[in-house]
């Protein structure tokens, strides 16, 4: 292998998704500890949107390629790589750089595609599975019989979170933005209760709990929903915040006036009151776990030991329709994983 020409979606800098363009770039041979993967499927994540719009602190300065997870087939291996070989079906996680037809990446961020899984399913497992698992078990101290509130329940993280919770026999309440997702979550994913978020959310949550203490909240909405979820938590409860969907924009660029208004009206939880409230609020961003490779791999081993079903893939687009996939994803009307397929 003497290097190849690859297709990439690149941003000149963060700001507007309209500036994401398809380009052709050379890719050198993989380094000694790398593998070259011919990408077959790319998973979309909200971190991609925040990065492209310049709202993500971890976004690389200057020109960058979005994308955090993918699956594909090993095309070549570096001289020091012995655990993988050409032709292996794999899935991987990367700190940006995933919107591509081919990628060179350290072999430690690649694992074999699970037996019987499609490339689409593989592209929806690592980032969202690890996000849900680390937030619930490492930070949330999930254990048997807990009562758990999971926001954005029909998204990739929400689906994986519920499946993890069920391995611990937890009672799960999911929230969604539209009633069209309720039946899927109750009948296909096994949530115990599902709430459509609206101005009556607090009362709906109390009804769903039916006297049960709320032990754990997986929070990714922000705004009044965050505050009401916090208020409903029992003493010794834990809230794990891993996103803030209320700050997302459906357009190519952020709506800065709307963002400023929401920022000024955001919930304010006083740390001086936490001891008397006996509650915990923790934040989590998977991008920082990526830097702790040994810890990430340990979490991944524990996650795989649960033997979860593959991710639910709700929407599939061809590589040439990346912008259409992103636009649909932004609207919040998707169920499960949004995946972009790459023809090789």
């Amino acid at each position: 292998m003497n290097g190849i020409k690859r297709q990439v979606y690149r941003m000149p800098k963060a700001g507007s998704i309209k500036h994401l363009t398809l380009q052709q770039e050379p890719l050198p041979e993989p380094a000694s500890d790398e593998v070259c993967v011919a990408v077959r499927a790319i998973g979309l994540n909200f971190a991609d949107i925040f990065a492209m719009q310049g709202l993500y602190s971890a976004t690389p300065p200057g020109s960058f390629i979005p994308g955090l997870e993918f699956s594909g087939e090993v095309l070549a291996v570096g001289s020091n790589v012995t655990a993988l070989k050409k032709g292996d079906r794999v899935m991987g996680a990367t700190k940006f750089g995933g919107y591509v037809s081919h990628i060179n990446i350290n072999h430690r961020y690649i694992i074999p595609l699970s037996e019987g899984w499609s490339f689409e399913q593989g592209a929806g497992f690592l980032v969202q599975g690890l996000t849900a698992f680390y937030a619930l078990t490492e930070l949330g101290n999930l254990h048997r019989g807990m009562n758990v509130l999971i926001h954005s329940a029909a998204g990739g993280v929400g689906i994986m979170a519920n499946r993890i919770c069920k391995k611990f026999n937890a009672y799960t309440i999911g929230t969604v933005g539209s009633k069209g997702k309720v039946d899927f979550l109750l009948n296909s994913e096994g949530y115990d209760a599902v709430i459509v978020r609206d101005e009556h959310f607090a009362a709906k949550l109390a009804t769903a709990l039916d006297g049960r203490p709320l032990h754990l909240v997986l929070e990714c909405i922000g705004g009044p929903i965050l505050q009401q979820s916090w208020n409903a938590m029992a003493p010794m409860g834990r809230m794990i915040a891993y996103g803030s969907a209320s700050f997302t924009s459906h357009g190519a660029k952020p709506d800065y006036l709307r963002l400023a208004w929401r920022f000024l009206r955001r919930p304010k939880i006083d740390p001086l009151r936490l001891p008397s409230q006996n509650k915990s609020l923790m934040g989590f961003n998977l991008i920082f776990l990526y830097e702790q490779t040994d810890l990430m791999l340990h979490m991944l081993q524990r996650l795989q030991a649960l033997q979860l079903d593959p991710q639910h893939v709700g929407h599939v687009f061809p590589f040439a329709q990346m912008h259409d996939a992103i636009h649909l994803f932004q609207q919040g009307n998707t169920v499960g994983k949004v995946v972009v397929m790459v023809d090789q």
Side-chain angles (χ1 to χ4, degrees), residues 317-329:
F317 289 80
F319 193 58
Q321 294 180 17
M322 177 67 78
H323 277 274
D324 293 334
I326 292 170
H327 182 70
L328 176 68
F329 187 64

Side-chain angles (χ1 to χ4, degrees), residues 1-4 27-39 70 72-90 101-108 110 344:
M1 177 179 169
N2 296 314
I4 59 175
L27 183 70
E29 294 185 18
S32 60
D33 59 351
E34 290 182 333
V35 298
C36 178
V37 177
V39 175
F70 61 90
E73 191 171 323
V74 174
L75 193 62
V77 300
S79 57
N80 292 338
V81 178
T82 58
L84 295 164
K85 65 182 185 304
K86 182 177 179 179
D88 284 349
R89 290 159 52 92
V90 296
S101 64
H102 299 79
I103 187 171
N104 289 341
I105 188 168
N106 188 291
H107 69 94
R108 300 190 74 194
I110 296 291
Q344 294 291 344

Side-chain angles (χ1 to χ4, degrees), residues 11-16 19 50-55 59-60 62-64:
M11 296 279 295
K13 64 178 181 178
S16 172
H19 298 152
F50 277 97
M52 287 185 281
Q53 292 185 337
L55 301 175
T59 305
S63 178
F64 73 99

